[in-house]
Amino acid sequence: MRLFGALRRGRFIERPNRFVVVCEVGGRRSSAYLPNPGRLSELLHPGAALLLEESPGKRHPFTAVAVERDGTPVMLHTHRTNDAAAHLIAEGLVPGFEGARILEREVRFGRSRFDLLVERRGRRTVVEVKSCTLFGRRAALFPDAVTERGARHVEELAALARDGLDAAVLFIVGSPGLECFLPDYHTDPAFAAALCRARTKVDVVACAVSYGADLTLEAETRRLPVAWSVVERENVDSGAYLAVARVERETTVEPGGLAPLRLSKGFYVYAGAAPAGLDAAVRGLRPLRKRLRSPFDHLRAVSTLRAALAVRTPEDSMACMLARGLRALSDRPVPGFGPGRCPCASHLFFFEKDPMNSPSFHDMLIHMRIERHLREP
């Protein structure tokens, strides 16, 4: 199935807001509409190859429909994902939906509108389609940003199932070579908990697909198992976090209990421990505190917070594991920035370039969050 017409190639430059990207096309700077509100930080880094559809007469000359990762296109157009899902179901290519036929699209039940109503095994099934673009080397994850709407859809599907309808959530995963799927409980623990509660009533289907270089939807699909046991064990309000901060110019801070610290212009990543109250610890990173308590508070006072990333786990050694991962990626550690009696020499690391634009940084994060829990193949 061909989802788009002729496509042009471009290079990603920046993303000024959720629905616009700036890119280079044919040697010229241009803007493109981005029909995907997700963070996409592991995909949209400077220089990444974009596939663009021309949009004559529109505010932006192009629509960004896909981005390449390791030479393979990842579809970004969430609305066209629904077209892909409808095509796959109609052709019998979604495992568990063989022989199903589509009765209606954009069907309303109660307060919400769902993507598909299909007949499957002689029964009506309400289907909500989700586009999954976040994945590592082994696992696919959804969502990549908090989605209150997604959690509400799951709860409403469970209610419809209790009333006698069949219900399903269909995740279209844009990478064929993965081992499993998980709701991303690190990013949105409420969505993950809602999906876990609903799974006895709602069919949760993660369907791995692949696209050709021109975004032709291939006929080969595979259902990914859901690693429920990992989610149920690890979705807790404890663990560790990564705080990514940007220092705009050279400065000196005097953290309590430490020698004066000269900070270079660049990015600093701190691996902090939160054995209890992880959500509160992450929220507490964003406002600037009037009273500077910890050494990181002093750094935070002279920097801009770029990102605060939770890593949920009941293990108490996660901050040290993150520090070891950062040490391998960073330009250098900042000596003496270790919490308490931690055996690590430091939990603060300097990056000359933004680590949020580094695929290696995101690979490390997904490994620490998810893939280290998976059994070796």
Side-chain angles (χ1 to χ4, degrees):
M1 178 188 180
R2 186 79 178 267
L3 292 167
F4 302 94
L7 297 175
R8 296 191 63 179
R9 295 179 65 83
R11 293 285 172 184
F12 175 79
I13 298 175
E14 61 180 345
R15 185 183 185 182
N17 64 56
R18 286 197 306 165
F19 295 104
V20 176
V21 296
V22 178
C23 51
E24 180 187 303
V25 187
R28 294 186 176 183
R29 189 181 177 101
S30 184
S31 64
Y33 170 61
L34 177 64
N36 191 318
R39 288 180 180 163
L40 306 174
S41 54
E42 74 290 343
L43 295 172
L44 296 180
H45 52 85
L50 295 174
L51 295 180
L52 306 163
E53 186 176 49
E54 293 191 13
S55 304
K58 298 291 182 66
R59 179 180 177 184
H60 303 288
F62 300 96
T63 297
V65 300
V67 61
E68 287 188 358
R69 172 176 164 157
D70 298 331
T72 301
V74 178
M75 227 256 278
L76 299 178
H77 202 308
T78 55
H79 306 302
R80 299 289 177 88
T81 300
N82 291 353
D83 296 334
H87 170 78
L88 293 170
I89 289 174
E91 295 297 316
L93 296 174
V94 177
F97 282 79
E98 296 87 353
R101 65 187 184 94
I102 296 173
L103 302 176
E104 192 175 347
R105 295 184 63 166
E106 299 293 324
V107 58
R108 182 171 291 278
F109 285 90
R111 294 187 303 156
S112 294
R113 186 171 56 190
F114 297 95
D115 295 312
L116 301 171
L117 180 66
V118 308
E119 184 180 67
R120 179 177 63 156
R121 297 190 287 270
R123 292 177 57 83
R124 292 195 307 164
T125 302
V126 184
V127 182
E128 179 66 12
V129 178
K130 302 294 185 187
S131 174
C132 178
T133 59
L134 174 59
F135 40 84
R137 302 299 172 187
R138 302 175 64 188
L141 307 168
F142 181 94
D144 75 343
V146 175
T147 171
E148 294 179 3
R149 180 174 176 266
R152 189 185 75 243
H153 276 161
V154 169
E155 291 166 352
E156 291 176 346
L157 286 171
L160 292 174
R162 287 192 294 269
D163 291 339
L165 279 171
D166 285 356
V169 184
L170 173 58
F171 296 94
I172 300 296
V173 179
S175 181
L178 302 172
E179 298 172 23
C180 65
F181 169 85
L182 300 91
D184 190 357
Y185 54 91
H186 301 279
T187 298
D188 193 343
F191 175 84
L195 200 66
C196 281
R197 288 193 302 269
R199 78 178 193 267
T200 58
K201 306 175 186 67
V202 177
D203 193 8
V204 178
V205 180
C207 182
V209 304
S210 59
Y211 297 95
D214 61 353
L215 286 189
T216 299
L217 181 62
E218 307 291 348
E220 211 171 304
T221 62
R222 187 165 60 90
R223 183 167 182 168
L224 300 178
V226 184
W228 295 115
S229 61
V230 173
V231 183
E232 291 178 331
R233 183 182 69 246
E234 298 290 320
N235 190 10
V236 293
D237 189 23
S238 65
Y241 59 86
L242 294 179
V244 184
R246 180 176 186 174
V247 173
E248 299 287 352
R249 59 181 181 274
E250 282 195 11
T251 187
T252 299
V253 297
E254 297 185 7
L258 296 177
L261 181 64
R262 186 72 176 173
L263 298 175
S264 303
K265 178 182 176 180
F267 297 85
Y268 293 82
V269 184
Y270 178 69
L278 175 61
D279 290 328
V282 171
R283 286 194 303 269
L285 294 170
R286 297 199 174 276
L288 289 174
R289 294 175 177 171
K290 294 181 180 178
R291 184 178 178 185
L292 305 181
R293 298 184 180 90
S294 70
F296 183 77
D297 286 344
H298 289 264
L299 186 151
R300 178 75 182 86
V302 297
S303 65
T304 302
L305 189 67
R306 176 76 170 84
L309 307 166
V311 182
R312 299 178 189 279
T313 181
E315 300 175 70
D316 58 9
S317 60
M318 177 47 63
C320 288
M321 294 172 64
L322 289 170
R324 289 194 290 271
L326 291 170
R327 179 179 291 275
L329 299 175
S330 68
D331 292 294
R332 64 176 182 270
V334 179
F337 246 83
R341 299 178 180 177
C342 174
C344 299
S346 181
H347 276 214
L348 182 67
F349 298 86
F350 173 75
F351 290 76
E352 185 176 335
K353 297 181 179 180
D354 189 350
M356 295 297 290
N357 291 331
S358 165
S360 297
F361 177 83
H362 291 285
D363 285 345
M364 184 276 290
L365 181 61
I366 290 177
H367 173 76
M368 293 296 184
R369 280 177 159 179
I370 297 294
E371 294 184 337
R372 69 188 183 89
H373 297 297
L374 305 180
R375 294 179 179 177
E376 291 299 324

